[in-house]
Amino acid sequence: MKQTRWLWLVAILLLATALRLYRVGEMSLRADEAANLFLAAEEPSAMIQPFITTDPHLPLYFLILHYWMLLAGRSELAVRYPTVFVGVVVVALVYALGRLAFPQRPNVARVGALLAAVSPYLIWDAQDAYMYTFLTALALASFIALLRAWRQSASLAHWTSYVIANALGLFFHYLAGLVIIAQGFLWLVWSVSRKISRRAAIGWIVAQAATAALFLPWLVFALPLLTNFQTDFFPRADSFEMLQRSFIAFSVGRVDSRLMPPMVEPLAGNVLTLGFVILFLLGLFLPAKAARANDVDGRVVLAIYLFAPLLALDLFSQLRFPIFDERYVLFLIPAFLLIVARGFDGLNERTSQKWIPAGALAFVLLASGHSLYNYFYVPAFAKSPDWRGLVQYVSSHSQPGDVLVQNYPDPALPYYLQDRMPRVLLPHTSPAQATDVAADLRRLTAKYTRIWFQPVPYGEWDTAGLVAAWLQRHAVELDAQQFRGVRLELYQPAAAAIRQSAPVDAMFAGQIRLIAFKLDPPNALGRGGAVAHLTLFWSAHAHIERDATAFVHLYDSAGILRAQQDNPPVRGTYPTSAWQPDEIVVDSYDLQIPANLPAGAYTLAVGMYDSQTQVRLAAADRLGQPLAHNEVTLQTLTLALRDDTHRLIDAAPEVAR
């Protein structure tokens, strides 16, 4: 019997290992992981300094990662391996806590370990180069050591292991303090009800003093930061929302989080979590049969382990600033899963229809499998953007004189880009002024021939989209690629693009100059017509008081208008009244050419009119001579009939008259 029990545990641990190693080296690092890696690469003295002055985290994980990388390197697998290993240890500790909490119910420990082995969120975090899996393991170790220390046969070694677990937990994350708060509440309940001896109660107080003595030297340095730190990063969540999101995360992973991508669809997450909650309530409240009536203490331990930290987080969020995120309660998952396992065991002992508990277990495993399938295979639920694919594309399409611009300081990109090309973060700081960003981009476009841009639309750094807006107004977009979770754009500065374009040099209202144009006509007209892409290059000679609308017209040989596009410049995003003198404005148009045009010659003309009065602005050529109809004829397009449904299009070389 004992041998069978150990075989079950070994099988569960092998499953846990396989799931935590699966594809762990294939996933790109996400932002926090890459930031941790760069910080851990610093010298220990420089690494610790931010945790005293600006960053309310603790140094132990980063020190471990620092020395681990010296041995194992900086690949995705290497930097994640410590958490993978500790993630498997978590499963073993869940089993150990289950055996202590429910000594007469060995199935609770086995099922609890199995649920931990396949838990989507525990797997996600075990494949993440961060400290939360360590915190989960130490919270479990702390409760295991405490329950052993409270026994009559406890020795100094048990109390020592308890103090070490708590002190290590505090040096991994301040959230370890919530574990001590939960144990303090349990100590109070059991002291009053005489569940523990006076000696054990005093021992707990002494152990807290020892833990505080070990942590106090660090706290002396970090206390000013902790007392003054404020953040509005986390959206406020009321008590019910916190509980709901926590239980979904405990069951099938995150549904929605500001910090990390989801693991399951909102509807599926709520429905699947309901099954877990039913088993959880059975595990918490279903009385045991007479032979197992002594499992109340185990349920009390796990309930306090679970709910006391949740209550403390809720109170902190209400009294100081919002701090709730699913990741911050991840260390409570073992308590939740053991109560669910107790519900399964209670269901199993109270029904003769064994298909019911078997079906309940199958449901839980299938629900976990659904989230894991999303996580491993569905792009929308991937851990991180496809930085590898983006960098591979840049590397294979880059040219000398290229630069890559980020408008958000995501450290994952420099991790993969390394020294393949220059990289610039714009804005340099946040918040930023538009004039400063524009000046920086003017310097870049004067220095580099092409700009690769990796945008984060209206993110928390470039909140107004200043970089994207400037590039759209002053550069030509040559390429745009979408990778999983991340976009890449390629721009050519206006000065370089003009050199490859047809010159015009026409003036409108004596203020707006059309410098050049570039036409990319379609090769053919199909049944749905075609789109001709036209880029115009404008500049203002003085400040323009009134806004003007540009028009692009296509005339047949009889002067009949066949196609047109009218809109304020830069697709309506940059009115002429906002133009600065002598700046070059890049203005793009997609002219829809009808499919039923007969063969023949067509002329493309451009002009401007007052946006309020609809009166065309006076147009003149480079010699100051007025242009007919106040418009500039750019180019002739010739449509040659090939068959009834397909016409060839040729652009004549004559331009700008």
Side-chain angles (χ1 to χ4, degrees):
M1 186 70 177
K2 185 175 181 180
Q3 185 178 9
T4 304
R5 183 184 75 189
W6 285 111
L7 287 175
W8 270 106
L9 180 58
V10 169
I12 290 170
L13 292 178
L14 288 174
L15 174 64
T17 303
L19 288 173
R20 283 153 180 77
L21 283 173
Y22 183 62
R23 303 189 70 183
V24 66
E26 300 175 23
M27 303 174 187
S28 297
L29 295 181
R30 61 184 192 86
D32 282 348
E33 291 182 286
N36 293 345
L37 184 151
F38 284 118
L39 179 59
E42 300 281 347
E43 289 300 316
S45 58
M47 180 197 316
I48 292 173
Q49 187 62 31
F51 303 131
I52 299 174
T53 56
T54 58
D55 187 351
H57 284 88
L58 286 141
L60 186 53
Y61 170 75
F62 300 93
L63 289 169
I64 291 173
L65 186 59
H66 173 84
Y67 291 107
W68 172 255
M69 289 192 303
L70 293 179
L71 294 173
R74 299 174 54 169
S75 70
E76 294 93 332
L77 176 59
V79 299
R80 288 168 174 160
Y81 187 81
T83 51
V84 168
F85 174 78
V86 176
V88 177
V89 173
V90 164
V91 177
L93 292 174
V94 168
Y95 177 84
L97 182 59
R99 292 291 293 167
L100 276 174
F102 303 104
Q104 303 301 316
R105 290 178 175 272
N107 279 340
V108 172
R110 281 194 286 269
V111 174
L114 176 62
L115 298 183
V118 301
S119 168
Y121 205 1
L122 289 181
I123 291 171
W124 191 99
D125 201 65
Q127 294 189 329
D128 201 56
Y130 226 153
M131 79 285 289
Y132 292 95
T133 293
F134 285 83
L135 175 63
T136 305
L138 288 166
L140 280 163
S142 176
F143 265 95
I144 291 169
L146 180 62
L147 293 182
R148 288 175 174 167
W150 272 344
R151 289 175 171 176
Q152 291 295 332
S153 58
S155 66
L156 180 61
H158 293 101
W159 284 112
T160 301
S161 62
Y162 171 66
V163 171
I164 291 173
N166 279 352
L168 286 175
L170 287 172
F171 278 106
F172 271 101
H173 204 291
Y174 291 109
L175 288 173
L178 299 180
V179 176
I180 298 175
I181 290 174
Q183 292 168 350
F185 189 70
L186 180 63
W187 170 83
L188 181 63
V189 171
W190 278 12
S191 295
V192 171
S193 61
R194 299 182 183 276
K195 292 287 185 181
I196 56 175
S197 67
R198 177 182 175 84
R199 178 172 174 269
I202 294 174
W204 184 83
I205 296 174
V206 173
Q208 303 317 308
T211 302
L214 291 173
F215 191 62
L216 186 61
W218 172 263
L219 199 58
V220 169
F221 291 102
L223 191 60
L225 169 63
L226 297 178
T227 54
N228 296 316
F229 183 78
Q230 292 282 338
T231 180
D232 57 357
F233 185 75
F234 301 96
R236 186 170 295 278
D238 59 32
S239 302
F240 177 78
E241 182 186 349
M242 286 179 59
L243 190 64
Q244 179 190 33
R245 288 170 55 187
S246 296
F247 271 48
I248 293 173
F250 297 161
S251 303
V252 291
R254 296 177 311 277
V255 170
D256 188 20
S257 170
R258 182 174 178 177
L259 296 179
M260 267 81 67
M263 300 184 70
V264 68
E265 308 85 346
L267 178 59
N270 283 284
V271 171
L272 295 176
T273 298
L274 185 60
F276 281 83
V277 170
I278 291 172
L279 285 170
F280 175 83
L281 293 175
L282 289 175
L284 202 56
F285 298 112
L286 186 66
K289 288 188 175 181
R292 295 179 172 181
N294 63 345
D295 76 344
V296 173
D297 290 348
R299 283 182 277 161
V300 169
V301 169
L302 294 176
I304 291 175
Y305 181 172
L306 178 63
F307 287 112
L310 286 174
L311 178 61
L313 275 178
D314 188 17
L315 290 174
F316 184 94
S317 296
Q318 293 181 30
L319 297 176
R320 191 164 178 194
F321 55 82
I323 196 176
F324 174 76
D325 185 81
E326 288 86 343
R327 182 150 226 192
Y328 293 165
V329 295
L330 181 142
F331 69 99
L332 305 178
I333 292 179
F336 175 82
L337 294 180
L338 282 171
I339 295 174
V340 170
R342 197 269 178 189
F344 166 80
D345 193 55
L347 195 64
N348 187 49
E349 78 173 0
R350 286 185 170 272
T351 178
S352 59
Q353 304 295 323
K354 297 304 178 185
W355 64 268
I356 296 178
L361 183 60
F363 169 83
V364 169
L365 295 178
L366 288 173
S368 299
H370 173 74
S371 290
L372 290 175
Y373 180 84
N374 285 345
Y375 170 53
F376 286 127
Y377 298 112
V378 180
F381 299 95
K383 174 189 285 287
S384 62
D386 183 16
W387 292 113
R388 281 182 179 153
L390 182 147
V391 170
Q392 288 172 0
Y393 186 86
V394 168
S395 299
S396 61
H397 292 80
S398 63
Q399 300 175 4
D402 286 4
V403 64
L404 192 148
V405 173
Q406 279 182 286
N407 72 330
Y408 181 79
D410 192 317
L413 179 56
Y415 170 84
Y416 288 99
L417 188 65
Q418 298 180 16
D419 58 354
R420 290 180 174 90
M421 72 167 59
R423 181 188 64 88
V424 176
L425 172 66
L426 290 178
H428 298 301
T429 59
S430 181
Q433 298 296 321
T435 52
D436 295 335
V437 173
D440 289 330
L441 284 165
R442 282 195 297 269
R443 284 191 289 269
L444 278 182
T445 53
K447 181 178 181 181
Y448 296 99
T449 56
R450 299 195 311 173
I451 294 179
W452 295 90
F453 178 44
Q454 187 271 301
V456 175
Y458 307 102
E460 293 172 1
W461 190 264
D462 184 11
T463 54
L466 299 176
V467 176
W470 193 94
L471 289 171
Q472 289 162 7
R473 296 167 181 175
H474 303 97
V476 176
E477 184 175 311
L478 301 178
D479 189 14
Q481 299 291 326
Q482 185 70 41
F483 302 88
R484 185 190 69 239
V486 64
R487 182 174 171 84
L488 179 67
E489 299 167 358
L490 176 62
Y491 288 90
Q492 183 181 37
I498 287 174
R499 290 194 293 269
Q500 301 172 5
S501 302
V504 178
D505 198 11
M507 189 71 73
F508 293 88
Q511 293 179 310
I512 301 174
R513 180 187 175 203
L514 180 60
I515 302 171
F517 77 95
K518 184 176 182 181
L519 177 65
D520 298 316
N523 293 324
L525 284 178
R527 293 183 183 275
V531 175
H533 183 70
L534 175 67
T535 303
L536 304 175
F537 299 90
W538 308 95
S539 110
H541 280 209
H543 178 69
I544 304 167
E545 296 293 337
R546 298 173 65 87
D547 290 330
T549 298
F551 64 83
V552 178
H553 288 177
L554 185 68
Y555 300 102
D556 63 16
S557 57
I560 299 174
L561 182 64
R562 294 290 190 158
Q564 74 178 97
Q565 182 183 349
D566 295 27
N567 57 250
V570 196
R571 304 187 188 278
T573 65
Y574 197 32
T576 54
S577 59
W579 293 6
Q580 300 301 311
D582 298 325
E583 72 170 331
I584 298 175
V585 177
V586 178
D587 190 18
S588 297
Y589 295 83
D590 296 312
L591 183 65
Q592 182 69 43
I593 301 176
N596 59 356
L597 288 184
Y602 295 82
T603 55
L604 189 66
V606 171
M608 278 190 161
Y609 57 84
D610 188 293
S611 298
Q612 296 182 18
T613 65
Q614 309 296 301
V615 175
R616 289 192 179 187
L617 303 187
D621 64 16
R622 64 176 62 89
L623 300 177
Q625 298 300 311
L627 294 173
H629 309 296
N630 289 318
E631 61 185 26
V632 180
T633 300
L634 297 181
Q635 194 156 356
T636 298
L637 298 177
T638 302
L639 274 67
L641 183 65
R642 191 170 81 176
D643 55 46
D644 289 339
T645 61
H646 205 188
R647 295 169 175 82
L648 299 179
I649 303 176
D650 292 315
E654 57 177 317
V655 296
R657 63 182 186 276

